[in-house]
Amino acid sequence: MPAERQAVNYRVKNLILAHIGVSFATLAAAAVLGAWQMTVRTGVNPPFATPETYFASVSAHGTIMGYVMPTLFTMGFGYFVAVTALDQPLPSMRLAWAGFWLAAVGIVAAIIPIVMGKATVLYTFYPPLTGSVFYYLGVLLVVVGSWFWVALMIWAMAHWKRNNPGRPVPLAMFGTVANAFLWLWTTGGVAVEIIFQLIPASLGWTQMIDVGLARTLFAWTLHPIVYFWLLPAYIAFYTIAPQAAGARLYSDLMGRLSFILLLLFSLPVGMHHLFMDPEHGTGFKFLQAMLTALVVLPTFLTVFTISASMEIAGRLRGGKGLFGWIAALPWDRPMVLATCLSFVLLGFGGFGGVVNMAYAMNAMIHNTSWVTAHFHLIFGGAVVIMYFAITYWIWPILLEREAADVRPLRLQLWLWFIGIVIMTFPWHVLGLLGQPRRIATFDYANPVIAQWQPWVFVSMFGGYLMLVSALLFVWNIATLYRARPVGDNRMHYAVAVYPPARVPNALNGFALWNWLLLFLMVVAYGYPLGQFFLMDVYPGLVHRVDIGS
Amino acid sequence: MSEETIRRSELMWGAIAAFGVGIMAAVIVVSSFAMAIHPPSNVETIDPTTLNTNSEFAESNLGTRVNPDGSVTVRIVATQFEFLPRCIPVPKDRQVTFRVTSPDVIHGFLIAGSNANTMVVPGYVAQLRTVFSSAGDHLMPCHEFCGLGHSEMWALVKVLDGAEWKPDASGKASCELPR
């Protein structure tokens, strides 16, 4: 099978390094902001702590971690998969670099107004609060840049299928293209909101804004965006982790099925973010709650398939008995360690998420620290730890160098894991106690709030561990440039125990699934969006934070 | 391990996973339909720009009021950066209906230590009903970022039992914040 061992050539090295490099540079900056924000919340009053700086910092942290870091990482990893798994050059290097530079300009355009205090609207930018137009244009440019990537991924797969009729698309690329389609659908909501509502408002062209419509369009994006962040981790679970453990993938078909289910069920579910909103009735909230339950399925399937693959690896290495194979796994390899840590975080985070999506229980924790805990565990924890592990896997291939010592790599992964647990477990408790998220300072003179303070301190400690881990990660990558050259730049993807010779058309492409998704989206969002044009709604008065209103 | 064994194990696991999801869905169906637990979802519009002249949310009509039929309604305006009123007395063990709206931006409404929670979106009246089963004070923070003064936006809900619950002759009840 030549497709499993391919050299990274085709002149994409710098393209991939640029994307992932920018991604992690922004992550390091946002990690500093995160640790500082947590210090402010403890009440110790660190330097520069004012409401202006705190909420500007939250806006920057969210914008980077939500829109910049994962998008650039996913694009870079996607280009890597496209050339290595398909063993062909990218359809257009020019378009790929154009997408990168659009995103890069967008990042700068979005960050400058935040630093100037002109876009303190947080990364969710719910109107009527409206910031500088440059902030929205910047976010939009990042999205448009990523659409270039979407086009290139779809194009690359189509090109490969033409040249390889009847052969199954390699699983890593199948997952990547699933994510490209997912992202195209995902960004539809927020792009419409930015172009038709927020930019006209921030330019002063409109004084009134339909707040309910804006929230619904944003919810359309806000849930599946999480799955866009998640899919690179799943691609690594299926196509890299079994290889790293020294075994094979239990089932290729299950991977394809999971990617398709993730595409279908991550999208028509965003209204579970609006359970507590007065502009929607119970009917569609309930429908989307039910659809949200289904998105649990592909994760259950993945956990099974990857655990089974790992069991094969453990037994091949001499592990015996019901659990002996776990101890026999090569834990010294960062990818194996990260996969296991990621599963643990996925378990805890998933539990919190099921509470969030539960139609009735949501009232208990909506917009409390519980929610912040949930998405930091799932995204900051389970997903980003896999971004680290993927980078540890592919960066040496790109540089053709090998880290002499993987202990600092493992230490970094452990620090991140321990840090996120220490940070987010207290947030769950605080959320149940009623601590709201997105608040700079608390009145700790109040005896009720004073009881929260010890938990806030504990979580801050976890945040600093994560900051140390983020900096150690940057150090680990930097030292790789002086590591020993190995002259080997082949990428090895995991092979299935029984690699499929052929797969049904439905499991080798996305035409059918995009039609089905269109149907689901019309059912799930047709009325909830249409109602704003059918009933008499009163728009809200735009509140410009950049000029004062 | 044959291909058939793998396929069978996957089908079995798929069934177990589907069963688990089915149970989750069943719990939600039963609690929402049989027990009528729903999130606050009355789609009721209101003009946010003329709230002060709106008879229901005029300043004199805000706060806690006992209705002629004995039920209790609390009307609140959430505005940058305070709740009106800031102290809210409610009776213990009686159904209380909260009606909240905003004249400016989005705010959040949460009574800590209870399941009273809703977004406050300008243009809509958020309404929710709850019963407080024990007397005591609850913090009521704004839980959505509403501007630079957001962190200071807190109110207090005082749950009063029989002797302390004293609405005036017109049915209005009010309280003062400590300090």
Side-chain angles (χ1 to χ4, degrees):
Chain A
M1 294 282 292
E4 272 77 48
R5 344 178 83 222
Q6 284 314 325
V8 177
N9 37 30
Y10 308 121
R11 303 182 296 120
V12 289
K13 187 182 123 177
N14 288 336
L15 180 74
I16 298 164
L17 292 182
H19 280 85
I20 299 184
V22 169
S23 167
F24 284 119
T26 59
L27 175 131
V32 173
L33 297 179
W36 177 80
Q37 287 158 219
M38 301 188 58
T39 318
V40 176
R41 279 171 76 98
T42 58
V44 299
N45 234 342
F48 316 115
T50 63
E52 286 81 2
T53 54
Y54 180 82
F55 288 116
S57 176
V58 176
S59 301
H61 180 88
T63 301
I64 289 174
M65 297 303 209
Y67 303 137
V68 175
M69 184 274 284
T71 309
L72 271 287
F73 179 85
T74 305
M75 290 165 75
F77 183 47
Y79 290 133
F80 178 88
V81 170
V83 294
T84 54
L86 300 183
D87 190 22
Q88 64 179 28
L90 285 181
S92 165
M93 286 301 285
R94 239 187 235 146
L95 276 187
W97 278 110
F100 172 79
W101 285 110
L102 277 182
V105 170
I107 294 166
V108 176
I111 294 296
I112 289 175
I114 294 179
V115 173
M116 291 169 65
K118 301 280 186 200
T120 306
V121 287
L122 310 197
Y123 86 106
T124 45
F125 44 76
Y126 292 125
L129 285 180
T130 311
S132 158
V133 69
F134 292 103
Y135 174 72
Y136 303 109
L137 284 173
V139 171
L140 192 62
L141 276 183
V142 174
V143 169
V144 172
S146 71
W147 285 343
F148 282 56
W149 170 83
V150 169
L152 285 166
M153 293 300 102
I154 296 169
W155 187 0
M157 188 176 94
H159 180 79
W160 186 91
K161 279 170 77 170
R162 248 195 326 275
N163 292 340
N164 298 270
R167 284 181 60 200
V169 174
L171 185 59
M173 191 60 190
F174 189 79
T176 300
V177 177
N179 205 17
F181 278 115
L182 191 158
W183 183 235
L184 198 56
W185 281 98
T186 301
T187 46
V190 77
V192 169
E193 186 201 0
I194 290 181
I195 294 169
F196 294 102
Q197 293 194 283
L198 296 175
I199 289 180
S202 62
L203 286 171
W205 295 349
T206 50
Q207 271 69 50
M208 306 299 281
I209 191 159
D210 187 333
V211 183
L213 176 63
R215 276 182 75 77
T216 311
L217 286 169
F218 194 77
W220 159 324
T221 296
L222 189 55
H223 198 70
I225 195 173
V226 180
Y227 286 86
F228 167 71
W229 302 337
L230 190 71
L231 248 77
Y234 274 47
I235 292 168
F237 289 156
Y238 279 102
T239 66
I240 304 180
Q243 171 75 22
R248 289 185 158 208
L249 175 63
Y250 192 65
S251 164
D252 178 277
L253 237 49
M254 211 45 124
R256 285 167 202 273
L257 197 60
S258 295
F259 290 133
I260 290 167
L261 291 175
L262 284 166
L263 170 63
L264 287 181
F265 293 123
S266 64
L267 270 143
V269 301
M271 266 178 65
H272 67 232
H273 295 251
L274 304 180
F275 281 161
M276 294 301 127
D277 271 45
E279 75 274 15
H280 288 291
T282 51
F284 283 90
K285 288 179 180 175
F286 183 79
L287 173 73
Q288 296 210 11
M290 286 292 120
L291 289 168
T292 308
L294 292 176
V295 86
V296 180
L297 264 181
T299 293
F300 275 157
L301 299 182
T302 301
V303 168
F304 174 80
T305 304
I306 303 310
S307 301
S309 311
M310 289 294 174
E311 181 180 346
I312 296 173
R315 297 208 187 281
L316 282 175
R317 295 170 62 90
K320 300 256 182 294
L322 199 54
F323 297 110
W325 60 271
I326 297 177
L329 285 172
W331 291 109
D332 54 322
R333 298 178 193 167
M335 177 59 74
V336 175
L337 175 65
T339 298
C340 172
L341 297 180
S342 177
F343 271 27
V344 173
L345 297 173
L346 209 54
F348 287 123
F351 169 76
V354 167
V355 172
N356 294 341
M357 70 69 126
Y359 183 66
M361 268 196 282
N362 181 267
M364 199 165 62
I365 41 76
H366 173 77
N367 258 356
T368 68
S369 296
W370 175 283
V371 175
T372 328
H374 163 67
F375 67 74
H376 278 80
L377 251 182
I378 287 275
F379 173 49
V383 172
V384 173
I385 208 168
M386 290 307 293
Y387 288 3
F388 292 142
I390 290 169
T391 309
Y392 286 147
W393 188 266
I394 71 174
W395 208 285
I397 294 173
L398 294 167
L399 295 188
E400 299 180 41
R401 291 169 189 274
E402 195 175 74
D405 184 1
V406 291
R407 278 176 304 183
L409 278 56
R410 290 205 304 269
L411 174 67
Q412 187 265 325
L413 296 171
W414 273 113
L415 276 177
W416 191 262
F417 173 81
I418 296 168
I420 197 110
V421 166
I422 295 179
M423 181 173 86
T424 57
F425 280 33
W427 287 357
H428 283 97
V429 177
L430 286 164
L432 289 176
L433 293 175
Q435 186 198 53
R437 61 189 282 216
R438 297 187 152 174
I439 282 190
T441 46
F442 295 94
D443 174 18
Y444 288 113
N446 182 315
V448 178
I449 299 178
Q451 291 169 2
W452 300 348
Q453 199 171 20
W455 290 110
V456 182
F457 267 105
V458 172
S459 64
M460 178 188 76
F461 179 67
Y464 276 95
L465 281 185
M466 294 180 78
L467 175 58
V468 171
S469 173
L471 299 177
L472 180 57
F473 174 77
V474 174
W475 171 257
N476 285 343
I477 294 301
T479 52
L480 198 59
Y481 280 83
R482 311 179 73 173
R484 186 172 56 90
V486 287
D488 182 1
N489 63 3
R490 287 171 304 174
M491 172 66 192
H492 305 264
Y493 288 99
V495 187
V497 176
Y498 295 100
R502 297 186 76 87
V503 292
N505 275 341
L507 296 181
N508 209 32
F510 296 93
L512 170 67
W513 308 115
N514 279 317
W515 283 110
L516 188 55
L517 189 49
L518 178 65
F519 169 75
L520 285 172
M521 287 301 274
V522 169
V523 170
Y525 278 109
Y527 181 77
L529 284 171
Q531 66 165 4
F532 297 108
F533 301 94
L534 298 174
M535 64 181 187
D536 287 326
V537 291
Y538 296 96
L541 192 63
V542 171
H543 278 58
R544 299 274 297 271
V545 302
D546 51 337
I547 54 169
S549 39
Chain B
M1 199 166 50
S2 75
E3 206 164 355
E4 186 51 34
T5 324
I6 290 184
R7 203 62 71 240
R8 210 175 306 132
S9 72
E10 285 174 343
L11 282 175
M12 190 140 71
W13 175 254
I16 294 172
F19 182 69
V21 172
I23 290 190
M24 254 167 32
V27 169
I28 296 175
V29 169
V30 169
S31 66
S32 58
F33 285 105
M35 296 157 72
I37 301 175
H38 291 284
S41 313
N42 72 316
V43 186
E44 179 185 340
T45 58
I46 187 169
D47 189 345
T49 55
T50 57
L51 267 198
N52 46 0
T53 58
N54 178 296
S55 57
E56 184 180 359
F57 287 96
E59 194 154 357
S60 58
N61 201 41
L62 297 179
T64 312
R65 191 177 282 275
V66 183
N67 302 311
D69 65 357
S71 64
V72 175
T73 302
V74 182
R75 292 182 181 83
I76 300 169
V77 166
T79 179
Q80 287 174 321
F81 297 101
E82 59 179 346
F83 290 102
L84 300 170
R86 293 178 59 207
C87 187
I88 298 153
V90 292
K92 176 174 165 277
D93 293 331
R94 273 170 68 182
Q95 182 162 293
V96 181
T97 303
F98 289 90
R99 288 173 60 77
V100 198
T101 192
S102 159
D104 42 46
V105 300
I106 294 174
H107 298 278
F109 171 96
L110 163 73
I111 302 179
S114 82
N115 60 358
N117 194 331
T118 183
M119 298 305 300
V120 185
V121 180
Y124 299 88
V125 179
Q127 175 174 302
L128 58 94
R129 276 186 283 272
T130 193
V131 177
F132 297 92
S133 53
S134 61
D137 292 357
H138 294 268
L139 295 169
M140 198 185 104
C142 171
H143 68 48
E144 185 55 88
F145 175 69
C146 56
L148 294 177
H150 166 57
S151 308
E152 314 300 323
M153 188 168 163
W154 296 69
L156 189 71
V157 173
K158 290 177 97 67
V159 183
L160 306 171
D161 59 18
E164 291 174 336
W165 169 246
K166 288 187 210 118
D168 67 13
S170 69
K172 252 181 99 85
S174 58
C175 57
E176 296 290 323
L177 281 184
R179 89 194 137 120

